[in-house]
Amino acid sequence: PKGLGGQGAEGLALKAGEVLCRKTEELRVCECQHKCTDPAHQVSEAKRLGITSFVFTSRRPFHPQRISDLASNPEPILGKEVLRSKGFIWISSRPNLMGIWSQAASVLDLQGGDPWWVMVEEKKWPEGLKAEMLKSGVWHEKYGDRMQELVFIGMGMDERKIRETLDSCLLTDDEMKEEAAGAVWFFTDPLPSWEDWEDEEED
């Protein structure tokens, strides 16, 4: 999706690793000579420090109330071990715009991003985008490119707990049945409003 500047979750993980490790990312650590060039002995600074990452994805939308509760106080839920997380999200009450998720330590920011490609006239798509989304599996027959994709970077993270927490914020089977026309669910949404992208285009 456009909101990530062409970067997928793997790219974000690499970028985050660069930020966390700064100039020492390429530090080589081994038990032999200091200038050892044996590829088998080359370890990134991220690995040496125990920094790991994983990607959470889902084709279901988040419930606005539950994801708002998480955003208001993420550290006790995600854990202090999560140093950084970033990506895009789909909120059930907001079918037009992707949400941009950006978290560092105890601060989690959710903002409106670009429209999902499914909301943009196909004639305005970049050349080759449709084929790329179909080939990669990004495109869903019913919901288009709407999805969750978040990368988490940290030290000693409880990946299972984080995944279970995010899964609990997704719509349940019964909630999915409440879908209205236009891939929208009319649940109470306590999040701050996002400026409507259609109004922006008209200005």
Side-chain angles (χ1 to χ4, degrees):
K2 297 188 294 181
L4 296 182
Q7 296 186 81
E10 291 182 1
L12 285 170
L14 291 173
K15 274 292 184 184
E18 291 173 6
V19 171
L20 289 169
C21 298
R22 301 283 179 177
K23 297 180 181 179
T24 59
E25 186 181 8
E26 298 302 324
L27 182 66
R28 296 173 178 179
V29 181
C30 64
E31 296 178 354
C32 46
Q33 296 182 5
H34 176 66
K35 294 185 179 181
C36 173
T37 57
D38 185 342
H41 294 166
Q42 295 177 19
V43 182
S44 71
E45 183 70 358
K47 186 174 182 179
R48 188 180 73 82
L49 293 174
I51 295 173
T52 59
S53 66
F54 70 90
V55 179
F56 173 85
T57 62
S58 178
R59 300 310 303 236
R60 286 196 180 201
F62 283 131
H63 189 288
Q65 182 65 65
R66 295 197 289 273
I67 200 64
S68 175
D69 291 343
L70 173 58
S72 65
N73 194 19
E75 190 173 87
I77 302 172
L78 298 179
K80 293 182 179 180
E81 298 78 12
V82 177
L83 303 175
R84 187 84 167 92
S85 61
K86 190 173 183 180
F88 53 90
I89 63 173
W90 170 24
I91 298 178
S92 59
S93 54
R94 306 183 181 208
N96 294 346
L97 300 181
M98 64 171 65
I100 303 301
W101 167 301
S102 180
Q103 173 261 330
S106 61
V107 179
L108 172 55
D109 185 37
L110 296 181
Q111 295 186 0
D114 289 323
W116 298 103
W117 284 115
V118 70
M119 298 301 299
V120 179
E121 291 181 83
E122 193 169 324
K123 66 182 181 181
K124 296 181 180 180
W125 293 9
E127 184 178 352
L129 176 64
K130 184 175 183 179
E132 167 106 27
M133 289 196 291
L134 289 171
K135 182 179 179 180
S136 65
V138 166
W139 192 259
H140 186 280
E141 183 177 353
K142 182 176 182 180
Y143 298 121
D145 57 323
R146 299 184 184 100
M147 63 183 298
Q148 321 292 355
E149 188 169 64
L150 298 169
V151 60
F152 289 82
I153 303 97
M155 300 173 65
M157 295 182 293
D158 189 338
E159 181 177 339
R160 180 177 177 180
K161 176 186 176 182
I162 295 170
R163 288 187 181 279
E164 289 177 348
T165 297
L166 293 171
D167 282 338
S168 71
C169 293
L170 299 171
L171 296 193
T172 65
D173 289 343
D174 287 340
E175 288 169 337
M176 287 293 292
K177 296 175 184 177
E178 298 183 42
E179 179 182 359
V184 62
W185 288 257
F186 293 106
F187 298 118
T188 299
D189 186 339
L191 292 164
S193 62
W194 296 341
E195 188 172 351
D196 191 281
W197 65 277
E198 292 177 331
D199 289 343
E200 284 187 345
E201 288 192 340
E202 291 175 2
D203 291 343

